[in-house]
Amino acid sequence: MAEFTTDALLNGIRDWVEIETPTDAPDHVSALVAKVAAEAEAFGARIERIPGRDGFGDHLIVRSPWGTPGEKGILVMSHLDTVHGLGSLKHMPFRVEGGSAFGPGIYDMKGGAYIALAALRELIAERQNVALPVTHLFTSDEEVGSPTSVDLIRKLASEAKYVLVTEPAREGGKIVTARKGTARFEIHVKGRPAHSGSRHQDGRSAIEELARQILVLHGFTDYDRGITLNVGKISGGTRANVVAEEAHALVDMRVPSPAIAEEMVAKVTGLKPIGPDVTVIVTGGMNRPAYEKLPGIAALFEHAKGLAAEIGFALQDLKTGGGSDGNFTADIAPTLDGLGVDGKGGHTDYEQLYVESLVPRARLMRRLLETLE
């Protein structure tokens, strides 16, 4: 078995990090897609590039040279878009310091995406007799809910025996075997405008109604049941001396299971006006279904845990509230998530991966690809 080296992995990740790829800059995301496609084609993989649409970048499918049409294999899922805007490299350039490598998107998730492709590259180079074909999907819109890739994700998952997701590890290297489902809603309130001085009594404040509805929504949070709701953005009104005619809010909800998702979506979409002469309209619903630790996922984790022990580290799992594309596949094929690099600070200006995690995590990915059957 060829040994991964820290320097080689870090240099490859740096090349990807230094191409900025915010989701809303499709040309930049597609530029990195082109680079990844060229690298994969150069080491003998088959590639299929899917043109972007609706303001998003291209998607890329990288396939191992072995395997036959219709044969179920391993789907590896990565995304190349990040939350960091263009120009982020100016204030958070790639650098290595104190055992960490820093840069926009390095932890979430260019580091994990790169080491998975490197694992496939090594298998191809050594012409290993691997039991299952490997498909590595790179998407361009995960950070905003995967609107143009979800159908592709589910299609490829239906053709897979296993799914491995290269989202970053959590809390010291733990991988993810369950995630909460995610819902997004918009609340629109319509009131009645009036002069706030001379005719205040004639008005029906949309802002007041929204404030009441926010208290109801936040009251749905139930930590014991794993339910959280957050009104993350509000807007409304026109001037201080006008009773607000309109107000709006954006709501995020996280739920642990499909049954609770159904219950809570009904509660949120069923909101009724609290005050008189106002209307409340709720739009939205589930964005990502809940990802539960089903028996097939538990067995897949045990297999990965054994491989990690052979490599020399203890692998643990957890359930997290954050969503990923693994939410779309867990009910289709056994899915392991959080197989990317260890680190911290995702979505922040101190985002970093732990350099010492690169080789062990790359070796784990390689061993999964060559031992699953």
Side-chain angles (χ1 to χ4, degrees):
M1 180 191 298
E3 279 297 318
F4 297 103
T5 68
T6 299
D7 287 346
L9 292 172
L10 200 54
N11 288 335
I13 293 168
R14 176 177 186 166
D15 287 344
W16 289 18
V17 168
E18 291 186 337
I19 299 176
E20 294 182 322
T21 55
T23 315
D24 59 1
D27 291 345
H28 291 257
V29 181
S30 295
L32 181 53
V33 167
K35 178 177 177 58
V36 176
E39 291 179 7
E41 198 167 31
F43 64 67
R46 296 172 291 153
I47 65 166
E48 179 185 353
R49 188 166 170 178
I50 300 166
R53 60 180 175 85
D54 303 336
F56 297 102
D58 297 350
H59 307 309
L60 177 67
I61 302 173
V62 176
R63 291 187 171 93
S64 62
W66 59 86
T68 58
E71 181 183 1
K72 289 205 167 190
I74 301 168
L75 173 62
V76 181
M77 295 202 305
S78 304
H79 67 85
L80 295 176
D81 61 316
T82 77
V83 301
H84 301 280
L86 294 178
S88 296
L89 282 167
K90 293 179 182 177
H91 66 270
M92 50 185 304
F94 177 90
R95 72 185 194 281
V96 179
E97 181 180 297
S100 291
F102 296 79
I106 196 167
Y107 173 63
D108 185 12
M109 61 181 295
K110 290 181 178 178
Y114 184 86
I115 64 172
L117 189 68
L120 178 59
R121 181 187 65 217
E122 294 306 312
L123 290 177
I124 292 174
E126 295 175 25
R127 301 182 182 275
Q128 290 290 323
N129 184 23
V130 176
L132 298 178
V134 178
T135 298
H136 193 167
L137 173 65
F138 295 87
T139 61
S140 64
D141 59 355
E142 190 274 345
E143 293 290 3
V144 296
S146 309
T148 68
S149 59
V150 60
D151 290 341
L152 176 62
I153 288 166
R154 293 186 70 86
K155 176 181 180 295
L156 293 176
S158 72
E159 301 168 358
K161 288 186 70 174
Y162 307 99
V163 179
L164 308 176
V165 186
T166 64
E167 288 286 349
R170 301 290 196 277
E171 300 178 16
K174 295 177 182 177
I175 66 172
V176 176
T177 52
R179 290 179 180 271
K180 291 183 179 181
T182 304
R184 294 290 169 84
F185 303 95
E186 294 187 14
I187 313 294
H188 307 274
V189 180
K190 184 72 176 289
R192 181 192 300 161
H195 192 292
S196 66
S198 61
R199 301 302 302 177
H200 189 280
Q201 68 275 18
D202 295 341
R204 299 292 183 267
S205 173
I207 289 177
E208 179 182 349
E209 177 67 21
L210 179 61
R212 292 175 172 179
Q213 295 290 347
I214 289 171
L215 293 176
V216 172
L217 288 164
H218 280 196
F220 291 156
T221 290
D222 185 333
Y223 294 127
D224 290 339
R225 297 183 67 202
I227 301 166
T228 59
L229 283 93
N230 181 64
V231 178
K233 183 179 180 181
I234 59 173
S235 61
T238 55
R239 298 178 183 276
N241 60 352
V242 179
V243 175
E245 182 178 13
E246 294 187 356
H248 312 276
L250 299 180
V251 185
D252 175 276
M253 181 175 76
R254 307 293 168 116
V255 289
S257 70
I260 291 177
E262 184 176 359
E263 171 196 343
M264 296 308 301
V265 167
K267 280 189 174 183
V268 175
T269 57
L271 289 175
K272 303 297 183 184
I274 297 171
D277 306 322
V278 296
T279 60
V280 176
I281 298 173
V282 182
T283 59
M286 293 302 296
N287 171 268
R288 285 190 169 100
Y291 162 4
E292 298 180 285
K293 189 178 180 179
L294 302 172
I297 293 173
L300 181 56
F301 168 69
E302 289 302 319
H303 180 73
K305 183 178 177 181
L307 295 176
E310 293 174 8
I311 293 167
F313 68 99
L315 192 66
Q316 296 177 285
D317 68 327
L318 53 68
K319 178 175 184 175
T320 182
S324 86
D325 286 338
N327 289 71
F328 296 129
T329 66
D331 63 340
I332 301 174
T335 298
L336 281 189
D337 204 337
L339 285 164
V341 297
D342 194 12
K344 65 179 180 180
H347 295 198
T348 73
D349 60 1
Y350 59 87
E351 184 167 332
Q352 61 193 270
L353 63 77
Y354 301 147
V355 174
E356 66 179 6
S357 76
L358 290 177
V359 170
R361 304 296 284 200
R363 292 183 66 193
L364 176 60
M365 179 60 72
R366 177 194 166 117
R367 292 292 291 146
L368 284 166
L369 297 182
E370 65 185 353
T371 60
L372 288 173
E373 57 185 32

